[in-house]
């Protein structure tokens, strides 16, 4: 009888294969790449669910002709990143930020060669609130009122915000970065972090990298306005976060309201 580990490995490999078929059709070494990705997501599992952190950056190294073929259809890499996110969540790992996949070509590689380089990466300012289930307890009855029209309930310890469809709060606006911002709970409060977005994240008219949110705060993401609220609050424990006064970096992000991540009937574009 297969072990739980082998069953998880097989599930992850089948999910990745079914989600991004247009990518694997371009790569003769597809099955070995799938096996490697499944290995990455299922090895060194923690016995405590939710404590194991999965890599967030994946570099797929291929022979130059294959790398060029993948680059010609750039949405395939996003589709693979989304599939990695779902597979990881399904087997109980956590991602500090949503995974991203890039491709590189190397001249010395033979036609059937490949490499996958996976690293756990997150912007340094997010490390002010480490991912720890014992401490990432969200506030009671928190929510965003978005553009004065819709209420989005905030219940998770980590809430990813952006344009990419596997964000928890998806904002479907091309001005918003694919991975724009993130909420992290800490001792009964939410902290809001900008993920080096192109358009920036503003709280009460000030551009921020990281800040604690309080009821009534007005958050603006490149044209989308969200008012933060809590029906019940608990005092912030420990030392308040000291905002970094250094220069603001730049990345990318966006927004559309949808149910949380990845319905089974979603197909690759």
């Amino acid at each position: 009888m297969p072990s739980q580990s082998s069953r998880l490995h097989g599930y992850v490999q089948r999910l990745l294969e079914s989600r991004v078929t247009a990518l694997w059709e371009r790569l003769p070494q597809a099955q070995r790449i799938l096996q490697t990705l499944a290995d990455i997501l299922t090895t060194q599992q923690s016995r405590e669910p939710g404590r194991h952190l999965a890599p967030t950056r994946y570099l797929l190294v291929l022979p130059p002709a294959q790398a060029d073929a993948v680059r010609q259809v750039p949405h395939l890499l996003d589709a693979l990143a989304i599939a990695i996110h779902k597979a990881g969540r399904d087997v109980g790992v956590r991602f500090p930020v949503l995974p991203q996949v890039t491709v590189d070509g190397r001249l010395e590689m033979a036609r059937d060669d490949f490499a996958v380089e996976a690293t756990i990466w997150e912007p340094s300012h997010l490390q002010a609130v480490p991912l720890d289930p014992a401490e990432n307890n969200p506030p009671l009855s928190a929510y965003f009122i978005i553009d004065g029209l819709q209420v989005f309930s905030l219940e998770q310890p980590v809430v990813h915000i952006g344009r990419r469809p596997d964000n928890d709060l998806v904002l479907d606006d091309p001005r918003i970065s694919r991975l724009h911002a993130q909420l992290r709970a800490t001792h009964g409060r939410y902290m809001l972090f900008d993920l080096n977005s192109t358009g920036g994240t503003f709280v009460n008219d000030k551009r921020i990298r990281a800040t604690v949110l309080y009821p009534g705060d007005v958050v603006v993401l490149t044209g989308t306005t969200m008012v933060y609220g809590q029906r019940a609050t608990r005092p912030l424990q420990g030392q308040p976060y000291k905002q970094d006064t250094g220069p603001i970096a730049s990345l990318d992000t966006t927004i559309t309201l949808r149910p949380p991540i990845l319905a089974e009937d979603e197909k690759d574009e």
Side-chain angles (χ1 to χ4, degrees), residues 39-202:
D39 288 343
I40 291 168
L41 291 171
T42 57
T43 54
Q44 300 179 346
Q45 288 284 359
S46 168
R47 293 182 181 180
E48 297 181 71
R51 285 191 179 272
H52 178 61
L53 296 181
T56 56
R57 284 188 168 177
Y58 298 78
L59 174 63
L60 181 58
V61 184
L62 299 168
Q66 294 173 19
D68 289 343
V70 172
R71 291 192 190 99
Q72 290 174 10
V73 192
H75 80 270
L76 292 178
L77 295 178
D78 254 3
L80 178 56
I82 291 169
I84 289 170
H85 184 197
K86 172 162 176 59
R89 285 188 19 150
D90 286 356
V91 299
V93 299
R94 307 175 80 192
F95 296 89
V97 292
L98 296 190
Q100 294 177 281
V101 181
T102 55
V103 65
D104 187 26
R106 293 189 184 166
L107 291 172
E108 68 274 16
M109 279 191 162
R111 182 175 182 273
D112 291 337
D113 285 347
F114 76 95
V116 176
E117 300 174 6
T119 56
I120 298 175
W121 174 88
E122 63 180 336
S124 59
H125 58 291
L126 268 72
Q127 297 169 19
V129 181
L131 291 180
D132 183 346
E135 298 186 1
N136 299 142
N137 51 315
L140 300 175
S141 303
Y143 57 89
F144 276 136
I145 299 174
I146 301 173
D147 288 334
L149 300 172
Q150 295 172 290
V151 177
F152 184 87
S153 180
L154 300 169
E155 302 172 356
Q156 301 300 318
V158 176
V159 180
H160 304 285
I161 305 171
R163 191 176 73 246
R164 210 173 78 178
D166 56 332
N167 282 280
D168 301 294
L169 174 53
V170 182
L171 301 175
D172 192 14
D173 182 325
R175 297 171 297 176
I176 291 176
S177 298
R178 289 152 51 246
L179 313 180
H180 196 106
Q182 185 185 108
L183 289 173
R184 284 193 185 184
T186 176
H187 301 293
R189 292 284 190 190
Y190 272 123
M191 285 193 65
L192 176 64
F193 297 89
D194 181 77
L195 299 182
N196 301 328
S197 65
T198 299
T201 299
F202 297 80

Side-chain angles (χ1 to χ4, degrees), residues 3-44:
S3 66
Q4 180 181 7
S5 177
S6 64
R7 290 196 300 270
L8 287 175
H9 189 282
Y11 167 77
V12 170
Q13 187 165 338
R14 290 191 299 272
L15 187 149
L16 295 175
E17 183 175 17
S18 64
R19 290 275 171 155
V20 203
T21 54
L23 173 60
W24 309 127
E25 290 169 354
R26 289 168 165 78
L27 303 176
Q29 63 281 64
Q31 286 302 313
R32 290 186 293 132
I33 295 173
L34 286 164
Q35 184 173 2
T36 300
L37 290 171
D39 288 343
I40 291 168
L41 291 171
T42 57
T43 54
Q44 300 179 346

